[in-house]
Amino acid sequence: MSLGKVEALWARSVYSPVPVRNAFEVTVERLAQSIRLGVLVGGERLPPERELAETLGVSRVTLREAIGALRSAGLIESRRGRGGGTFVVSPRASRARTANRQPAADMDDMLDLRRIVEPGAAALAATRTLTAADRATLLRFLRESTTCSAGRRRLADSRLHMAIAAASESPSVVSVVGDVQLKLTEALRRIPVIPANIEHSDRQHAAVVAAILAGEPDVARSTMEEHLDASAALLRGLLG
C-alpha cells in the first residue's frame, strides 16, 4: 500500500506481519482494528488481496477466510461489476448492526479472567491422577465438540471447557470457569460460526486434552493459552 509518512506510521501496528500461531483470528482482529481506528474508512476499498496478504504475512486462503468473517459481521461488503471489490461498510451502518454489543470493558475483563483461570485449570488437571472414567469423560466431551451440529457448537464447546475445569478437582476453579463460560457464551452468540475458526479450535482442544491425559501440565497450560488467545482475538476483532 502506498501511504504518506503519517499514514504509514499510523497503520504500522495494524498492518505488521501476523504471527504464525492463530493467524486467522489475528488477521480478523487486525483488519477490524484498521476499520475501527480509521486506517480504512467507510466506503473505502480494501487493498488488493495479494498485496494485503503479503503485507500481513498470511496466505491468501487465510486472508479470504478473515474477510469472510468480517463480511458476516457487517464490517465490510462485496460489490460486483465494474468498480466492484471489497469495501468498508459506512460507520453508521456498521454501528446499527452492532448496537447491542457488550461494552468493551466488560468483555476485556471477562477475557482477562479467562486467560488467568482456564490455562491454570488445564495445567492442574494434567497433574491429577485421573480414573478411567474421568479420562473417558474428557474424550467424550472432546468428541462431541467436534462432531456436533453447528447449532450445538457453543454448548458442546462450553461443556468441554467445563469438563477440563472439573478434571482439576478444584470446586473453586470449576465455579469461576462456569461464570466465565456463561459470559463467553453470550458474546459468542453475537458472532457467526466460522468454519476456519472451528477447525483451528478443534485442533487446539484435542491438543489440550492430549496434554492433560499425558500428564504434561506445562504443555496443557501453554496450549490452552494459545487457544484462548485465538478466541480473544476473534471476539475483540468482531465485537470490540
Side-chain angles (χ1 to χ4, degrees):
M1 289 170 284
S2 179
L3 300 174
K5 290 182 179 180
V6 172
E7 288 177 302
L9 288 171
W10 186 25
R12 184 172 297 164
S13 62
V14 173
Y15 289 123
S16 59
V18 168
V20 174
R21 290 183 176 181
N22 301 330
F24 164 75
E25 292 84 358
V26 176
T27 300
V28 171
E29 183 181 31
R30 291 275 180 85
L31 291 176
Q33 284 178 342
S34 74
I35 294 170
R36 293 194 174 101
L37 292 174
V39 178
L40 294 171
V41 297
E44 185 175 353
R45 189 202 307 260
L46 261 64
E49 183 181 279
R50 179 176 179 180
E51 181 181 339
L52 189 53
E54 289 178 354
T55 301
L56 293 171
V58 298
S59 70
R60 294 175 75 172
V61 171
T62 296
L63 179 62
R64 288 188 196 115
E65 291 170 340
I67 287 174
L70 293 174
R71 186 183 301 113
S72 297
L75 292 175
I76 61 175
E77 62 184 7
S78 296
R79 303 175 190 169
R80 297 182 180 277
R82 186 175 182 180
T86 303
F87 294 81
V88 177
V89 173
S90 65
R92 180 179 299 176
S94 181
R95 280 197 298 271
R97 297 179 193 184
T98 58
N100 297 320
R101 72 187 184 197
Q102 183 177 10
D106 291 348
M107 186 171 68
D108 285 342
D109 182 61
M110 179 267 292
L111 294 176
D112 288 344
L113 178 60
R114 190 185 191 210
R115 185 59 160 72
I116 291 171
V117 175
E118 292 208 43
L124 189 56
T127 69
R128 303 305 194 192
T129 302
L130 301 178
T131 66
D134 293 332
R135 299 168 74 87
T137 296
L138 279 175
L139 290 171
R140 175 166 60 86
F141 282 121
L142 174 64
R143 182 173 62 255
E144 289 177 359
S145 73
T146 59
T147 59
C148 66
S149 65
R152 291 184 59 81
R153 171 70 191 194
R154 304 303 190 204
L155 177 62
D157 185 289
S158 181
R159 282 160 62 87
L160 174 60
H161 280 266
M162 289 302 300
I164 291 171
S168 74
E169 301 179 4
S170 168
S172 295
V173 167
V174 174
S175 177
V176 175
V177 171
D179 289 342
V180 169
Q181 284 296 318
L182 282 174
K183 295 176 182 177
L184 179 70
T185 297
E186 293 176 6
L188 289 173
R189 283 174 178 162
R190 294 198 294 276
I191 68 172
V193 175
I194 305 168
N197 172 249
I198 296 302
E199 292 172 8
H200 191 196
S201 181
D202 285 345
R203 291 195 300 271
Q204 291 173 330
H205 282 159
V208 171
V209 171
I212 291 171
L213 297 181
E216 300 176 331
D218 290 341
V219 177
R221 180 189 296 276
S222 62
T223 307
M224 180 64 87
E225 287 174 344
E226 182 180 332
H227 171 56
L228 301 189
D229 288 345
S231 297
L234 194 64
L235 284 167
R236 287 185 171 119
L238 297 182
L239 298 178

